[in-house]
Amino acid sequence: QVHFVESGGGLVEAGQSLTLSCKAARMITSTFNSAIMAWYRQAPGKQRELVASITGDRNTNYADSVKGRFTISRENPRKTVYLQMNSLKPDDTAVYYCNRGDWEQPWGQGTQVIVSQ
């Protein structure tokens, strides 16, 4: 069973940056290489939402709220997906999760991002 391990969250001030990592432990490398991978987030009291996705060919897609500030990337040999987050805002405060964007797998524990004003 696929197991996602997210890391890199923390407490930052508005305007600062963070880079999140997600390792797809136990996923077969060939499967990872072709999978659409995505980052999601869930803010307190809100539903989980898609933040960004990246295909095996590295085509990317972003939520309007993060366009121009966040960058998703992947490192296939490491089975790892990254989310570079710049110019963070308090509204970005949430627990961030990664998953397959094309075939939902069991969710990991996520990584908490808190952005203070």
Side-chain angles (χ1 to χ4, degrees), residues 9 17 21 45 57 64 68 78 86 89 94 112:
S17 300
S21 299
D57 294 334
D64 288 343
R78 293 178 179 263
N86 298 327
K89 304 175 181 180
Q112 175 80 58

Side-chain angles (χ1 to χ4, degrees), residues 21-63:
S21 299
C22 168
K23 186 168 179 65
R26 306 179 196 166
M27 188 182 286
I28 298 171
T29 301
S30 59
T31 301
F32 179 86
N33 291 351
S34 62
I36 297 173
M37 295 300 300
W39 282 96
Y40 301 80
R41 67 186 180 187
Q42 187 167 18
K46 295 186 178 181
Q47 289 189 332
R48 187 176 287 149
E49 63 174 351
L50 176 66
V51 175
S53 63
I54 183 168
T55 68
D57 294 334
R58 291 176 168 77
N59 292 312
T60 59
N61 193 32
Y62 297 92

Side-chain angles (χ1 to χ4, degrees), residues 33-106:
N33 291 351
S34 62
I36 297 173
M37 295 300 300
W39 282 96
Y40 301 80
R41 67 186 180 187
Q42 187 167 18
K46 295 186 178 181
Q47 289 189 332
R48 187 176 287 149
E49 63 174 351
L50 176 66
V51 175
S53 63
I54 183 168
T55 68
D57 294 334
R58 291 176 168 77
N59 292 312
T60 59
N61 193 32
Y62 297 92
D64 288 343
S65 59
V66 306
K67 279 182 182 176
R69 299 189 297 122
F70 290 11
T71 303
I72 188 171
S73 60
R74 62 193 300 160
E75 191 174 357
N76 287 348
R78 293 178 179 263
K79 296 186 290 184
T80 300
V81 184
Y82 303 98
L83 187 67
Q84 172 69 41
M85 306 186 296
N86 298 327
S87 302
L88 282 162
K89 304 175 181 180
D91 284 348
D92 295 319
T93 294
V95 179
Y96 285 73
Y97 303 87
C98 74
N99 207 316
R100 286 186 63 163
D102 51 357
W103 184 13
E104 185 180 299
Q105 301 296 308

Side-chain angles (χ1 to χ4, degrees), residues 10-15 18 88-93 113-117:
L11 171 61
V12 297
E13 294 182 351
L18 279 175
L88 282 162
K89 304 175 181 180
D91 284 348
D92 295 319
T93 294
V113 173
I114 300 174
V115 184
S116 64
Q117 292 186 337

